[in-house]
Structure formats: structure tokens, C-alpha cells
Amino acid sequence: MSFPLLTAILLAPVIGIILILFIPEREQLTIKITAAVATFISLVLSIYVYVAYDQAAGGLQFLEDRSWIPALGVNYSVGVDGISLPMVLLTALVIFTGVFASWDMTHRVKEFFLFLLMLVTGVFGVFISRDLFFFYLFFEVAVIPMYLLIGIWGSTRKEYAAMKLTLYLLVGSAFALIGIIALYLYAARQLGYLTFDIQTLATVQYDIAFQKFVFFLFLIGFGVLVPIWPLHLWSPDGHVAAPTAVSMLHAGVLMKLGAYGLIRVGVFFLPEGAKFWAPLIAVLCIVNVVYGAMIAMVQRDLKFVIGYSSVSHMGYVLLGIAALNTLSLSGAVTQMFAHGIMTALFFALVGNIYHKAHTREIARFGGLAHQMPRVAAGFLIGGLASLGLPGLHNFVAEFLIFLGAFTREQGLFGGLLTYRTLAILAILGIVITATYVLRVVQRTFFGPRKEAWDHLEDARGVEMVPIVVLCATLILFGLFPSLMGDLIYSGVAPLVAKIEAAGTVGGIF
């Protein structure tokens, strides 16, 4: 029997939780080192799985299967393919760097890292699950700790933001649960036995009317977490109120759970339903892109800029999903990875500045590059990635999405609108993004030196870990896109083949 790599990735933070439980609260450094070691183990194993994955063979690999509740068809079953493996690697990178971004944490350190590791355990579980029961179980495990992490360690109306986030996500979870139960019962009638196995459920021929209804449930359920407009209102407040590491996980990983669920469960199970609702997703995603960018442009708080920027950039993921072809879906998954790394970098840097300056108000800064050149360099790299500069990974993602959208011929609203038109509008979002990113960089880091900030110290020591690791990741996959692109293609190609085999279904418009 081969070593259970995926289970080890999942259990490393769990073991970290158990060890931290036995460490006295006063031993803060020991607690932080334990969390760092636990997440480092997950990172190393994730990199090994990424390198060892056989892209030529494709499909699910590193499989593990254990019966859990046979009477209900529930099994502990895990595996990764070209869609889920990049998300596992993304999660490992973000949580490892997030621990170091929280190295200055002094308030209730023990509980903070316990809940942080619990959150990331749920995220790992979602991405590796091959059983729909465990998929949903881990989905809930990933959402629930957010309330405590924001409500206790957050800032800027933290109780309000924590409650708002939790209520939105729980309502979304309820819609997703109804859809999962409907799939489970429908499949049981067709198969003659009960199962939550994702691969088995995907072989069932679901009625077209059923697909349209259930896909809409998933669109709401997972769309809240993406977030898709107009279900996005919880997200910017959650970003701003959350402590640094939680903001990194929130924007870098948790938002990807929604898009991943929409692809893995919605499109994979219900291709006809996806085709029917795709035009609506395409229209809403442009609202995400343009609206999010316009609101980000007028924000005065650094975190609010990044929060609304995330809403905008996740719109590109939705456009890739809506176009439903190999290029666009490859671009959507690539954007999920690239955006996760980029926003984690942004929030790590903003957290570093806020901890030392005790403000995030853009107008109060100016010339910080004199006092904090390393932070300024990291922010500039993140900003250039945000506006899609060639040589950084975000450019690859957005290029694939736009190319995929241009190749989609379907007309919307009686032919008055096409995917090509939407792609052009999405490109307009990049222009707006460039405007507010460059403005923020100029106002915050460049210009005359302000002596009022001479007491600020540049990032150093453990503070450099997030900057170096995340910047290097953006540059590595930007300069060598095939390192991630070939892997993602191996996962997307079978999905697109299933979509094409599903036949022609008229869209909602």
C-alpha cells in the first residue's frame, strides 16, 4: 500500500491542532513554530504531489478509499486531478505564508492558531474529496471558524462583519445542501443503490429540467462564496475586518471554494444545466468585473481596495466558467490559482503596514518606499500582476479566459449581445484596474518622503517569508506557464468533452 499522501496533507494541520492544545498559552513562540511546521509539512507534501502527478495519464490520482457509512453510501474517498491539485498547492502556499504573516500576533495566540489550522483543514478536505458527503462536510468546516477568527481577532466593525459573512455563507450552504440531497436521491433511483461517490454520480443521466433547477441551486449556493453579484455584499466587509492571515485565506482560498464547487459539482454533474444558465453567469460576471473595479477605484482604505478588487477579479473566473470551453475553463482555474497568490500577497503586505502604522488610510501615506522598500517592491509586483502584466501568472489566466470567451459564438438577448462583447467589456475592467492599482501604488509608496513615517521598519526576518514565497510563485508560473497550464489542461479536457457530449441546450436568454 502506497503512502497516503493526501490524507497526510489533510492531517498535518490536525496534528498541529492537537499539539498546540497541549502547549501552554504563555509559550507563544512554540505555538507559532508548531503551526509553521504543520503547514510546512502540508506544503512539502503538496509540492511532491504536484511534481509526481502523471499529467500524461490525467484523471484522478493518489486515490484513497475507506468505507465509512456503507448503509448510506458514504466513504472516505480522496484524490486529485488537474483541477483540484492546483487548489491544494494554492492552499498550502497561502496557509504557510499566512502563519508567518501572523508572527506578530499577541492576543489569544493559542486559540487563533487552533482555529486557523481548523479552517485550512476544511479547505484541504474540500479540494481532495471524491465523496460528496465529505465534500460538503469539509465545506462547512472551512466556513464556521471564520466567524470566530474575525469576531475575536478582527478590526473595523469586526462583530458586524463576522455575523454578516457567516449568515451569507450559511444561506449559500443551505442552497448547496438542497442541491446535493436532490442529486443523491435522484441518483439512488437511477442506480438502485445509495452513493455519494462523485465519479459515480457524474455518470447518471439527469433529466434536463432537473439539471436546470439543481444547477440554479448550486449557482446560488456556491455563487455566494465566489462571490457573484449581487451576492457579494459580505465579502469586502469580511476582507477588511479579518486579521491578516484570515484575509489571506479568505481572499486567496475561501473564495475559490465557490468557483471550485461550481465547476466540480455544478458543471461536472449538470452540463445541460450549466449551458442553460451560462448566459446569466456571463452577464453577471461583467457586473462583477466592472462594478468591483469602479468601487475599488474610489476606496480610501487599502483593504477595501483589495476587497473590491477581489470581487472584480473573480468575475474573470466566472466568465471562464460561463464560456464552457477548454481555453476558458483552463483560464478560470489558472485565474483561481493566480488570484489566490496575488491577493494573499496584497493582504500580507497591507497587514505588515497596518501593524506598524496603525492605519490603512491611503491619504495619510506617501513615499513609504523610502522607509519600506521591500514592502513597496512586493506591493508593486502584486499590483502589476493585478493589472495583467506579461511575465506574471495573472496575465496567462486572463489571456486564456478572454481567448476562450472570444471563441464562444452564442448570442444573448436575441443576438444583441455576444460573448465577444462581454470579453471586450471584461478587458475594460483591466483598464480600470490599472488606474486604481497605479494610483494606490503612487499615493502610498512614491512621492516625497514623509518624516512622520520614519519610525516604520521595513519587512525583515520572518516577515519576508510571505513576500518572497508569493512573489516567486507569481513570477515562476508567469515565466513558465506550462508548469501549471499542462496540469490544468489535463483536468479540464475531460470535463469539456462531457459538456460537448451533452448536446445543445438553449440558454436562459
Side-chain angles (χ1 to χ4, degrees), residues 444-464:
T444 305
F445 294 101
F446 297 103
R449 182 190 191 109
K450 288 190 175 182
E451 296 182 358
W453 300 116
D454 280 348
H455 67 281
L456 298 183
E457 296 181 355
D458 199 8
R460 60 184 180 181
V462 295
E463 295 174 340
M464 287 299 298

Side-chain angles (χ1 to χ4, degrees), residues 50-75:
Y50 163 77
V51 173
Y53 183 87
D54 187 351
Q55 297 181 16
L60 288 166
Q61 298 180 29
F62 304 97
L63 303 177
E64 302 170 40
D65 205 333
R66 298 287 184 276
S67 178
W68 196 55
I69 310 178
L72 297 179
V74 179
N75 299 306

Side-chain angles (χ1 to χ4, degrees), residues 230-252:
L231 306 175
H232 69 287
L233 297 175
W234 62 272
S235 184
D237 289 321
H239 285 309
V240 172
T244 300
V246 180
S247 291
M248 294 170 68
L249 282 167
H250 177 186

